[in-house]
Amino acid sequence: MIAQRNVQQQQPTHAAQQPNRQRQQNQGSNTHYQYPPVDETLISQSANETRKLMANASLVLERFASSKDFDRRLMELAQQSRQAEVEQLIKSIGVKSDVKVKFNPDGLSLEFSSKLAHTKCCQLEINLRWR
């Protein structure tokens, strides 16, 4: 019985208890991988596009915050499920970016998005509750 306990206690249970040689082999498997050089161009362009999305979103938020007539009109159209007219009302604020408008009885969701070289690069989503 004593011999069996010693054998069981000597068996490693996780990686930190493995013999050094085996740990070194496991850690060394990625040492020779060559990463490609970084190119910051796309992230910089994406950031600039997102700033444009934020400017468009600010226009919309400013209108919602300052015009109860606008809010009432939009909510009435949404209540009647007049999707195209809700989208047109949002665009009438001066929004130039692509914006997907969704609504339900509880609120409104606006998803602003932009593309660079035909690839979706950035997205900004705003969710507003009205009930």
Side-chain angles (χ1 to χ4, degrees):
M1 270 264 200
I2 295 173
Q4 286 177 339
R5 280 188 204 164
N6 288 340
V7 170
Q8 288 174 350
Q9 290 175 352
Q10 292 174 359
Q11 293 177 354
T13 56
H14 57 80
Q17 293 177 336
Q18 291 178 352
N20 285 338
R21 189 182 67 190
Q22 191 173 358
R23 270 191 286 168
Q24 289 170 349
Q25 288 173 349
N26 290 344
Q27 291 171 351
S29 63
N30 288 332
T31 30
H32 299 292
Y33 181 77
Q34 294 294 316
Y35 292 99
V38 296
D39 181 1
E40 70 286 344
T41 305
L42 184 58
I43 195 167
S44 177
Q45 292 172 341
S46 293
N48 283 321
E49 285 298 313
T50 302
R51 288 171 56 184
K52 293 175 189 175
L53 298 180
M54 290 176 68
N56 281 280
S58 289
L59 286 172
V60 173
L61 294 174
E62 180 61 35
R63 179 63 61 92
F64 284 142
S66 65
S67 176
K68 289 186 179 189
D69 290 336
F70 181 88
D71 298 347
R72 186 179 306 105
R73 179 72 181 136
L74 183 119
M75 291 171 72
E76 288 171 350
L77 291 170
Q79 195 172 37
Q80 298 166 20
S81 297
R82 295 165 68 179
Q83 179 76 34
E85 291 175 64
V86 169
E87 291 173 0
Q88 182 55 42
L89 195 58
I90 296 292
K91 286 286 193 176
S92 75
I93 299 169
V95 172
K96 299 203 180 349
S97 61
D98 293 335
V99 61
K100 186 187 296 183
V101 180
K102 295 184 233 173
F103 48 84
N104 60 43
D106 295 326
L108 175 73
S109 174
L110 303 170
E111 182 184 294
F112 298 86
S113 61
S114 186
K115 294 181 180 179
L116 287 171
H118 306 292
T119 301
K120 189 173 182 180
C121 71
C122 28
Q123 176 179 320
L124 177 66
E125 185 173 326
I126 297 175
N127 296 299
L128 300 170
R129 290 194 58 111
W130 57 41
R131 185 175 86 155

